[in-house]
Amino acid sequence: MYSYLDFEKPIADLDGQIMELKKLSEGENGGVDVAEEVARLEKRSAEALVEVYKKLTPWQKAQVARHPDRPHCQHYVDALFTEFTALAGDRNFAEDLAIIAGFARFEGNPVAVIGQEKGSDTQARLKHNFGMARPEGYRKAVRVMELANRFGIPVVTLVDTAGAYPGIGAEERGQAEAIARSTEMCLNLEVPIVSIVVGEGGSGGAIAIATANHVYMLEHAIYSVISPEGCASILWRDAARAKDAATAMKITAQDLLALKVIDGIIEEPLGGAHRDRAAVMASARKTLTDALGDLSALDGPALKHARREKFLAIGRDLG
């Protein structure tokens, strides 16, 4: 069974009826023949799914991006890359499991992989701090990017965080400086860097590893300078108005593509990435293959220049 979101209640009701009928048919003495009714309800459920997902609001997309069953960074690493070897620690203070970083092979070629991992259950979420990195995580990312740059290895980043960890200890150890250094390293790389926002792309915590030559978003991912709840708390002093904030902030992939903040949208299966992980992995693989192939034609200085111009152009176009 899927975990249904609030706006998916019509679908949940129909799927519940389908399950009850299937249980009835599996009862003692062979149950009863309900195949025709099940087929009718499955058709209605599929139609309801199409109807709901063709008109999602920005706030509903935010809920899909945060879905507990949505594939996270580790799922993409396992599905898309081979021979992944994780590196640990920032060589300064500690290891930060909110960021996974290391080297692997993609389609047989070496790549550096950096991503934010939220965790898939309560224990894993606590272990990975819900994907909210401390300074050590960003310094680990910088260390991996430096190695990739030294050996001419492309970098792939997978973004999924509500934002950098705002705790007192993180601030004392230089959270803002670590984010700035990571962003600076992204800008200075002379190797291709491709980023995919697979869930939430929140604030500087996201841009620190997403300042890439090509930035893509999954269809129902979100990307913003602050969470809708945070924005509502600041503007209206009422986090309950997050729905209004989400609409005003232009956080969806479709809005950001129109604003030329991202370079493309990766299609998700109907109902979100969690409903068909294999399909979304195949789409992500194709996008990465095409992007890395395009960027391989550029030399180091050209890659660096194109990346800087890309982000400077966003400011010019929006100004």
Side-chain angles (χ1 to χ4, degrees):
M1 283 291 291
Y2 299 112
S3 296
Y4 294 93
L5 300 168
D6 290 343
F7 63 86
E8 294 178 318
K9 189 176 185 306
I11 304 160
D13 291 342
L14 289 167
D15 288 351
Q17 292 177 45
I18 292 167
M19 285 193 65
E20 288 298 321
L21 285 173
K22 287 183 175 179
K23 286 180 182 178
L24 185 64
S25 69
E26 295 168 0
E28 294 181 7
N29 302 321
V32 295
D33 185 6
V34 294
E36 186 175 334
E37 181 65 11
V38 167
R40 186 182 69 82
L41 288 173
E42 285 178 340
K43 181 181 178 183
R44 284 180 58 192
S45 177
E47 290 171 348
L49 189 65
V50 171
E51 188 65 24
V52 167
Y53 272 80
K54 75 179 182 182
K55 55 182 181 181
L56 289 183
T57 67
W59 177 239
Q60 288 170 337
K61 281 183 175 285
Q63 292 176 275
V64 178
R66 297 169 175 173
H67 196 288
D69 298 332
R70 193 173 178 85
H72 296 135
C73 174
Q74 190 64 58
H75 298 120
Y76 287 89
V77 171
D78 294 341
L80 299 178
F81 306 99
T82 58
E83 300 179 38
F84 177 71
T85 302
L87 299 186
D90 66 343
R91 297 297 185 266
N92 184 36
F93 182 76
E95 164 68 330
D96 184 356
L97 294 175
I99 286 188
I100 294 173
F103 291 89
R105 289 188 181 277
F106 178 72
E107 307 290 10
N109 299 312
V111 293
V113 182
I114 301 168
Q116 289 141 339
E117 174 59 40
K118 284 185 172 181
S120 299
D121 55 38
T122 301
Q123 185 176 356
R125 289 179 187 120
L126 292 171
K127 174 183 174 182
H128 294 286
N129 200 36
F130 299 86
M132 296 186 293
R134 297 174 171 88
E136 300 77 54
Y138 295 109
R139 290 174 181 140
K140 175 171 66 173
V142 168
R143 184 164 75 90
V144 170
M145 285 189 273
E146 286 177 336
L147 283 171
N149 200 51
R150 185 183 307 171
F151 293 104
I153 298 173
V155 177
V156 175
T157 69
L158 302 166
V159 178
D160 190 13
T161 182
Y165 183 61
I168 293 174
E171 297 295 344
E172 288 175 340
R173 295 192 302 277
Q175 182 72 289
E177 183 269 349
I179 291 171
R181 293 289 184 192
S182 185
T183 307
E184 179 185 38
M185 177 55 65
C186 288
L187 285 170
N188 288 329
L189 288 177
E190 294 195 350
V191 295
I193 174 169
V194 178
S195 181
I196 301 177
V197 181
V198 299
E200 284 187 273
S203 191
I207 198 69
I209 63 169
T211 311
N213 290 99
H214 290 330
V215 181
Y216 299 95
M217 288 177 67
L218 263 63
E219 183 181 355
H220 301 310
I222 60 172
Y223 194 17
S224 60
V225 71
I226 191 173
S227 69
E229 295 89 342
C231 177
S233 295
I234 292 171
L235 293 182
W236 299 295
R237 301 190 182 280
D238 183 3
R241 294 190 63 180
K243 181 178 179 180
D244 298 328
T247 302
M249 289 166 62
K250 306 295 185 185
I251 63 175
T252 70
Q254 295 73 23
D255 286 332
L256 294 169
L257 182 63
L259 292 170
K260 299 181 181 179
V261 172
I262 64 170
D263 301 287
I265 297 173
I266 299 174
E267 184 178 352
E268 294 189 33
L270 182 62
H274 56 284
R275 286 181 173 264
D276 190 345
R277 291 186 179 183
V280 80
M281 297 299 170
S283 297
R285 179 182 294 278
K286 183 179 186 308
T287 297
L288 279 178
T289 300
D290 293 345
L292 291 173
D294 291 343
L295 294 171
S296 65
L298 302 176
D299 61 17
L303 286 165
K304 180 177 176 179
H305 176 75
R307 194 181 308 121
R308 286 175 172 268
E309 285 302 308
K310 166 187 170 62
F311 284 91
L312 287 172
I314 293 173
R316 287 195 297 266
D317 292 344
L318 297 181

